[in-house]
Amino acid sequence: MAYEHSLIMAPTLKDIAEKAGVSPSTVSRVLSGRPGISEATRVKVLEVARELNYAPDMSAQGLATTQLKNIGLVGYKYRTRWAGSMAPADILGADAAAQKHGYHIITTYVDSEQMKSITSLPMVDERRVDGLVAIGPGISTRLILHLHSRGVPIVLMDNFIAEAPIDRVLCENHEGAYAATRHLLAVRSHKRTAFISGPISWTSSRERYEGYAQAVTEAGLEPLRIEMPNTIYETGYQAMRELLREHPDVTAVMAVNDATAIGAIKAAREAGYRVPEDIAFVGFDDVDWASLHDPPLTTVRVPRFEMGYQAVERLIERLERGDVPPITIRLACELVIRRSCGANR
Amino acid sequence: MAYEHSLIMAPTLKDIAEKAGVSPSTVSRVLSGRPGISEATRVKVLEVARELNYAPDMSAQGLATTQLKNIGLVGYKYRTRWAGSMAPADILGADAAAQKHGYHIITTYVDSEQMKSITSLPMVDERRVDGLVAIGPGISTRLILHLHSRGVPIVLMDNFIAEAPIDRVLCENHEGAYAATRHLLAVRSHKRTAFISGPISWTSSRERYEGYAQAVTEAGLEPLRIEMPNTIYETGYQAMRELLREHPDVTAVMAVNDATAIGAIKAAREAGYRVPEDIAFVGFDDVDWASLHDPPLTTVRVPRFEMGYQAVERLIERLERGDVPPITIRLACELVIRRSCGANR
DNA sequence: AAAATTTATGCACACGCTTGCATATATTAT
DNA sequence: ATAATATATGCAAGCGTGTGCATAAATTTT
């Protein structure tokens, strides 16, 4: 059974039309729910369509309507590792929302080096998508601004651009970090604490730091921030080594995310500290192995699935309702208390 | 600056044609490299095209050629958790290969319940993709067979269907498991070992088990398999509890993947065994937190990025070269020795 | 230099769908 | 019953590209 060069012939509007004894335009109107069709032909057409297992050809529909029902998910990837700013949960959530509305998700990862120079994306230039969801703080502002000024509908996720009114979905970084830090300070008394941060230009780093700083300040302590160029495991390890060199008296550390937290814990242990007895740690994200770590990591759960879902929902609303004013959606985080913070359990 | 209902007007063949003083068909021929064009007009057209920043409208091109340069990645998702059979590395690899050839990736997750009943996918029916990469053992055979018989180009990843000649990309499960088990048996002597398996109908479970069984048998021991309905952390935990109830004398366990291995380790410890002193463990996959576990997990690294890359490469070859005979591509695995197996370091 | 050949380009239609406009039919008002 | 209106449907053009066929221009052959 040889492959054809393309997919096997699928039924078209014309096929339905002939079989139902009407014109293709009538079929089109029925299928897209236009008014002014008699009940009799409506049911007939729908019947035939179902029987023939009809589905519209999106290229044709896209050509005619300029609405492809494709939305682009763009993240970035690091050179050195096989990971990027899009987590499976993001895509799962985005796909769930997309499926609900009959949309599809086109994913792409932009190399973080190339990110600096590009000003558009192939999927946009080639009109493969109706709009974009840009995921992560590393998506370049320049790129976003260029796309936005061209009129490309776009919603930002885990990113905050002050320069233009663009839809955003974020989690309550400030509140989450504040709650986590308060908890840290409540478990037992600390004199010196620190926050391990990514680039302060990254929304999540900035907002989480501010939440931490507020809690610490309210407790009469001085906030301490150590800023790193990214937020991966190795960086957390490195950050903690530097921190301990300068401030060996630190007894509580909040990390900007779980990966850096775990790197930091490794460094602390290597330096002879017990965790959480000597130094308490909290992370952020609640990645799926945070509970499997030893000690299980106290962290702030970020609802990635929900964020992906909301981002796509919002984008579709913009696409279908037209010119709605941009909003920023904040999703609540949840403090997950485990053992790295030194709490009883 | 109000949004338009769709993207801002992009240049078309006609625009280039007018500006270059030729007909649209000539432009089309130049841009798709057809022969029989004078050098003068060729450079003129290319110049104008670049100047106007032209990119073809894929809907139009797709309509005319039935080649969309979109490939679908289909995985499945569990009801209970926000994870599925597509890992980020898979998508990264697939996207890398796609980008190389000017293709794009459409991802979708099928609910594992719905998987049982469906016989096609919207993205196929709507002609959004030229072909598919199906990822994971949970993709239903019925679905694949239906699509295949309709002539949809498809390559399987981490799945093996004997019923039809379909391209496959897999890793060397047998060899990897064999090597890991041999290593386990070499570190110190074991009398009773076990393999924690997913459904034996799943390629990876079957092949890995066979690798394990061969090594064990060669060492004069009897293989022991405990089969579970899936391969997640909780299941590994459960499996180990059952195993210890029946065989408290087990001293070496190979798990079908890292997640179950870590669940199993948890259960072993709760039952009072020391790891690796009393029971040695090896996993499979080398997920990114395997090295962060305590003890660091000895495992077999699966090249997911490369598998995604190869799957897409293969699919594109089929799409562009036509009727090539199906092959199965096996990628080598690498034994990563850490501490859970009881090796010195 | 005229005829035969090759080369370069344009015309027009097709791909499958949507939609404004015209028209035929059914409904209501006079 | 006829006119006026509302309802249901078909026709044809258009969306942006690709491509077979015809033709005009350039080249070679006689």
Side-chain angles (χ1 to χ4, degrees):
Chain A
M1 174 168 319
Y3 273 109
E4 292 300 312
H5 191 251
S6 64
L7 306 190
I8 246 72
M9 271 248 298
T12 71
L13 280 190
K14 207 167 71 169
D15 297 326
I16 300 180
E18 283 170 7
K19 197 154 184 183
V22 294
S23 75
S25 24
T26 299
V27 177
S28 169
R29 280 189 261 259
V30 169
L31 294 179
S32 48
R34 292 271 181 298
I37 300 284
S38 76
E39 198 53 23
T41 74
R42 146 163 282 120
V43 301
K44 178 64 180 166
V45 166
L46 288 176
E47 186 186 75
V48 175
R50 193 155 21 79
E51 183 186 336
L52 256 44
N53 222 295
Y54 174 82
D57 181 309
M58 282 312 293
S59 296
Q61 208 168 54
L63 227 205
T65 63
T66 66
Q67 297 245 119
L68 289 162
K69 305 218 171 203
N70 274 156
I71 87 151
L73 237 60
V74 28
Y76 53 90
K77 62 172 180 241
Y78 300 111
R79 267 284 162 75
T80 52
R81 40 179 44 225
W82 290 332
S85 61
M86 277 193 283
D90 300 336
I91 303 179
L92 246 355
D95 187 47
Q99 284 189 29
K100 178 176 154 201
H101 296 278
Y103 278 68
H104 286 253
I105 296 289
I106 299 187
T107 47
T108 197
Y109 289 89
V110 177
D111 185 287
S112 59
E113 290 304 308
Q114 292 172 217
M115 182 65 86
K116 297 169 189 164
S117 56
I118 63 174
T119 152
S120 186
L121 295 169
M123 65 167 76
V124 171
D125 295 333
E126 296 167 0
R127 277 137 290 163
R128 287 175 192 268
V129 293
D130 299 327
L132 293 175
V133 173
I135 299 181
I139 305 290
S140 100
T141 301
R142 206 162 69 100
L143 172 61
I144 294 173
L145 258 22
H146 267 273
L147 292 167
H148 178 253
S149 70
R150 274 173 58 189
V152 180
I154 178 168
V155 2
L156 269 29
M157 182 168 151
D158 193 11
N159 192 329
F160 189 110
I161 285 190
E163 290 90 334
I166 302 184
D167 286 306
R168 302 180 263 258
V169 5
L170 300 158
C171 68
E172 293 180 342
N173 289 310
H174 187 108
E175 292 80 353
Y178 179 77
T181 308
R182 294 261 305 186
H183 175 77
L184 215 42
L185 297 172
V187 171
R188 68 167 190 272
S189 112
H190 295 283
K191 300 283 290 288
R192 159 137 334 268
T193 70
F195 183 88
I196 298 177
S197 165
I200 205 65
S201 64
W202 290 9
T203 324
S204 49
S205 286
R206 190 176 54 252
E207 294 180 344
R208 290 171 193 177
Y209 171 70
E210 285 164 2
Y212 152 84
Q214 182 185 336
V216 164
T217 306
E218 284 176 5
L221 298 177
E222 208 177 325
L224 173 61
R225 174 163 62 83
I226 175 163
E227 181 172 342
M228 305 298 284
N230 59 45
T231 59
I232 62 178
Y233 172 80
E234 289 79 2
T235 308
Y237 179 83
Q238 197 54 42
M240 193 66 198
R241 285 171 59 103
E242 290 178 24
L243 180 62
L244 288 175
R245 202 174 306 128
E246 308 254 332
H247 303 280
D249 59 333
V250 69
T251 55
V253 172
M254 160 152 224
V256 68
N257 67 12
D258 291 344
T260 51
I262 289 175
I265 289 174
K266 174 111 183 293
R269 281 179 162 162
E270 283 188 6
Y273 295 84
R274 291 167 305 159
V275 177
E277 292 79 3
D278 299 329
I279 308 183
F281 285 87
V282 302
F284 213 111
D285 282 353
D286 196 26
V287 296
D288 52 9
W289 37 274
S291 63
L292 275 26
H293 187 260
D294 177 51
L297 193 64
T298 292
T299 185
V300 179
R301 179 174 300 151
V302 174
R304 304 287 306 211
F305 180 94
E306 195 62 23
M307 287 172 74
Y309 189 93
Q310 290 295 337
V312 167
E313 276 283 355
R314 179 62 191 170
L315 182 56
I316 290 176
E317 184 175 359
R318 151 144 288 134
L319 290 171
E320 306 203 328
R321 289 255 278 270
D323 197 355
V324 294
I327 60 177
T328 120
I329 297 172
R330 286 273 179 187
L331 299 180
C333 296
E334 180 191 358
L335 177 61
V336 181
I337 298 171
R338 287 194 272 249
R339 286 222 299 284
S340 67
C341 59
N344 319 338
R345 267 227 41 124
Chain B
M1 173 168 319
Y3 273 110
E4 290 302 313
H5 190 253
S6 64
L7 306 190
I8 247 71
M9 272 248 297
T12 71
L13 281 190
K14 207 167 68 166
D15 297 326
I16 300 180
E18 285 170 6
K19 197 153 183 182
V22 294
S23 76
S25 24
T26 299
V27 178
S28 170
R29 282 189 258 257
V30 169
L31 295 179
S32 47
R34 292 275 179 297
I37 299 283
S38 75
E39 198 53 24
T41 73
R42 146 164 282 119
V43 301
K44 178 64 179 168
V45 165
L46 288 175
E47 184 185 77
V48 176
R50 192 155 21 78
E51 182 186 338
L52 257 43
N53 222 294
Y54 173 82
D57 181 309
M58 282 313 291
S59 295
Q61 209 167 54
L63 226 207
T65 62
T66 67
Q67 298 246 120
L68 289 162
K69 305 218 171 201
N70 274 157
I71 89 150
L73 238 60
V74 28
Y76 54 90
K77 62 171 180 241
Y78 300 111
R79 266 286 161 73
T80 52
R81 41 181 43 225
W82 291 330
S85 62
M86 276 193 284
D90 300 335
I91 303 180
L92 246 354
D95 187 47
Q99 284 188 30
K100 178 177 153 199
H101 296 278
Y103 279 68
H104 287 252
I105 296 290
I106 299 187
T107 47
T108 196
Y109 289 89
V110 177
D111 184 287
S112 58
E113 291 304 309
Q114 292 172 216
M115 182 67 84
K116 297 169 188 163
S117 56
I118 63 173
T119 151
S120 186
L121 294 170
M123 66 167 75
V124 172
D125 295 333
E126 297 167 0
R127 278 136 289 165
R128 288 175 192 269
V129 294
D130 299 327
L132 293 175
V133 174
I135 300 181
I139 305 290
S140 102
T141 300
R142 206 162 67 100
L143 172 62
I144 294 172
L145 257 23
H146 267 272
L147 292 167
H148 179 253
S149 70
R150 275 172 59 189
V152 180
I154 178 167
V155 3
L156 269 30
M157 182 168 149
D158 193 11
N159 192 329
F160 190 109
I161 286 190
E163 289 90 334
I166 301 184
D167 285 307
R168 303 180 263 259
V169 5
L170 300 156
C171 69
E172 292 180 343
N173 288 309
H174 187 109
E175 292 79 353
Y178 179 78
T181 309
R182 295 261 306 185
H183 174 76
L184 215 41
L185 297 172
V187 171
R188 68 167 190 272
S189 110
H190 296 281
K191 300 283 288 288
R192 162 142 324 273
T193 70
F195 183 87
I196 299 178
S197 167
I200 206 65
S201 63
W202 291 8
T203 323
S204 49
S205 285
R206 188 177 55 253
E207 294 180 345
R208 290 170 193 178
Y209 170 71
E210 285 164 2
Y212 152 86
Q214 182 185 338
V216 164
T217 306
E218 285 176 5
L221 299 176
E222 207 177 324
L224 173 61
R225 175 162 60 81
I226 174 162
E227 182 173 341
M228 304 298 285
N230 58 46
T231 59
I232 63 179
Y233 172 80
E234 289 79 2
T235 308
Y237 179 83
Q238 197 55 40
M240 194 65 199
R241 284 171 61 104
E242 291 178 24
L243 180 62
L244 288 174
R245 202 174 307 129
E246 308 254 332
H247 302 280
D249 60 331
V250 68
T251 56
V253 172
M254 161 152 223
V256 67
N257 67 12
D258 291 345
T260 53
I262 288 176
I265 289 174
K266 176 110 182 293
R269 281 180 162 162
E270 282 187 8
Y273 294 84
R274 292 168 303 158
V275 178
E277 291 79 4
D278 299 329
I279 309 183
F281 284 86
V282 302
F284 212 111
D285 282 352
D286 196 25
V287 295
D288 51 10
W289 39 273
S291 62
L292 274 26
H293 187 260
D294 177 52
L297 193 65
T298 291
T299 184
V300 180
R301 179 174 301 151
V302 174
R304 305 285 308 210
F305 179 95
E306 196 62 22
M307 288 171 74
Y309 189 94
Q310 290 296 336
V312 167
E313 275 284 355
R314 179 61 191 170
L315 182 56
I316 291 176
E317 185 176 358
R318 152 142 288 135
L319 291 171
E320 306 202 329
R321 289 255 279 269
D323 198 355
V324 294
I327 61 176
T328 119
I329 297 172
R330 287 272 180 188
L331 298 181
C333 296
E334 182 192 354
L335 177 62
V336 181
I337 298 171
R338 288 196 271 250
R339 286 222 300 284
S340 66
C341 59
N344 320 337
R345 254 239 46 127

